[in-house]
Amino acid sequence: MPEEPLSCVLLADRHHVLTEGVRGLLETAFGTVVMVADEASLLEGASRLQPDVAVVDLSLAQDSGLGWLHAVRERCPDLKVIVLSVHDEETVRQAAMKAGADAFVLKRAIATDLLPAIASVRPASMGDTD
């Protein structure tokens, strides 16, 4: 099942301990994992690096709103964004998806659900040489 690693993923979360663990998992699927810890760095990194996927904590912004997601969509409309959250409520998932997330993964299920979520949003042509 191993595919050629994707070039770059941007991982954005304020919680350093969780980020380190997720980075190890992402390194199995991506050539480069760039970690950031705030909204400004997410936006700058997304624009400058043009990553294949961004994996972002729902609560990245201090106001806990989804403004960061709208800003990412404005700057990088083709970027695949996977939202991570501790919130298991369907309304939270729906709000993230409505705001522009491509996938939603509960933090408690990162080990089993994150890589399949990335595969589900990954364009079929990504990594192909055609």
Side-chain angles (χ1 to χ4, degrees), residues 3 30 43 46 51 64 70:
E3 296 180 23
F30 289 88
L43 296 175
S64 296
H70 296 291

Side-chain angles (χ1 to χ4, degrees), residues 36-126:
V36 298
D38 59 52
E39 182 178 2
S41 298
L42 168 66
L43 296 175
E44 191 272 332
S47 295
R48 185 172 51 84
L49 299 170
Q50 295 295 304
D52 301 301
V53 177
V55 177
V56 186
D57 180 17
L58 177 73
S59 302
L60 180 68
Q62 295 296 334
D63 64 8
S64 296
L66 290 168
W68 64 264
L69 187 49
H70 296 291
V72 166
R73 283 285 168 237
E74 284 180 14
R75 289 183 185 210
C76 305
D78 296 328
L79 177 63
K80 299 302 181 187
V81 179
I82 298 173
V83 172
L84 300 177
S85 180
V86 297
H87 304 285
D88 197 3
E89 298 83 21
E90 185 60 28
T91 55
V92 174
R93 178 186 303 269
Q94 289 173 353
M97 299 303 284
K98 185 175 180 180
D102 294 293
F104 184 93
V105 174
L106 292 172
K107 285 189 174 183
R108 69 169 187 248
I110 286 173
T112 57
D113 295 357
L114 183 56
L115 293 180
I118 289 171
S120 76
V121 302
R122 179 182 177 191
S125 64
M126 192 177 284

